[in-house]
Amino acid sequence: VGVMGLGRGSLSIASQGYSSINGTFSYCLPSLNGNTGFLTFGSQQEQSGLVQFTPMLHNLTSPSYYFVDLIGLSVGGKMLPIAESVFRDVGTVLDTGTVVTYLPEAAYLALGREFDAWVRRYAASVSGFANLETCYDFGHLKEIKISKVALLFGGGVTLELPPTGILYYIGSSKYCLAFAATKETGEFSVIGNVQQRSTEVIYDLGRQMVGFVAGSC
């Protein structure tokens, strides 16, 4: 088992095979184990209205990463009071090798407070798990209902996360909010693979755009 390099570095498949794949590739990570995802190279026929594109940004200090313009978060349709500069000052990358999403502390705390206000109505909080701090026990419930969480990007893109992109199962009917605070001040944000699950993520290197198609696998 190896690692497939799809980054922006000169040795990656995306760079070396740029011409043969028409400068585009996409993937969809399955929402649950046992489900099927896909990896596609080359231009795909876009269905109008389904793909939301946001600019692909550059970062000179980390040139091999795919940066996107994350500008806000919403919970239950409510925009959180987080200045866009909180995200833009550090930058945000898409990374399938990272499990959960890491946010600047101010953004994480705002998200955690709003999400907790919804969930604590019917679920008890429990101690954290690893680096996840906002956790709950849903053991007494037959059905879990949680508030919607969405990521907002430059270009008017809103990516609403499915439930599997919001909660992370830690065992024994316990789940954690699948977000954490970055470890150091100034460290860039990372959108991990939990939040990317079930969404096709399209990398158009020629147009320098990243596209999202929710509910693709």
Side-chain angles (χ1 to χ4, degrees):
V1 179
V3 176
M4 178 177 290
L6 293 174
R8 305 180 80 169
S10 60
L11 297 179
S12 76
I13 292 176
S15 296
Q16 295 192 67
Y18 181 90
S19 297
S20 60
I21 66 173
N22 296 316
T24 62
F25 68 92
S26 70
Y27 56 73
C28 187
L29 304 177
S31 58
L32 298 170
N33 292 335
N35 289 13
T36 302
F38 59 82
L39 171 64
T40 304
F41 293 101
S43 300
Q44 301 299 305
Q45 184 175 2
E46 297 175 9
Q47 298 182 28
S48 178
L50 293 182
V51 185
Q52 298 185 82
F53 279 103
T54 188
M56 182 187 297
L57 307 181
H58 292 272
N59 186 297
L60 296 179
T61 61
S62 301
S64 64
Y65 288 106
Y66 292 103
F67 280 81
V68 288
D69 188 23
L70 180 66
I71 59 173
L73 304 168
S74 70
V75 176
K78 174 185 175 182
M79 278 292 299
L80 299 182
I82 308 168
E84 294 181 5
S85 59
V86 169
F87 302 102
R88 285 176 166 167
D89 286 350
V90 295
T92 302
V93 301
L94 289 165
D95 183 23
T96 57
T98 300
V99 180
V100 301
T101 286
Y102 287 85
L103 301 171
E105 186 175 30
Y108 169 73
L109 291 176
L111 172 63
R113 282 193 298 267
E114 188 66 27
F115 187 83
D116 188 69
W118 281 75
V119 179
R120 286 288 291 276
R121 300 171 187 175
Y122 57 88
S125 62
V126 296
S127 57
F129 172 79
N131 58 340
L132 303 178
E133 299 179 356
T134 307
C135 305
Y136 306 92
D137 186 349
F138 295 100
H140 63 291
L141 300 174
K142 294 182 179 179
E143 183 180 26
I144 300 174
K145 294 183 179 180
I146 58 173
S147 56
K148 296 179 180 180
V149 175
L151 308 178
L152 286 76
F153 299 92
V157 172
T158 298
L159 179 61
E160 187 173 294
L161 303 177
T164 52
I166 300 171
L167 292 175
Y168 186 83
Y169 180 62
I170 61 173
S172 302
S173 302
K174 297 181 177 66
Y175 292 80
C176 294
L177 181 64
F179 292 80
T182 51
K183 298 178 177 65
E184 299 179 10
T185 301
E187 186 177 4
F188 52 67
S189 303
V190 181
I191 299 174
N193 64 53
V194 169
Q195 283 68 33
Q196 297 181 55
R197 293 176 188 176
S198 81
T199 296
E200 181 180 12
V201 184
I202 303 168
Y203 296 80
D204 189 327
L205 307 181
R207 293 195 295 165
Q208 294 292 287
M209 303 288 281
V210 176
F212 301 103
V213 186
S216 293
C217 65

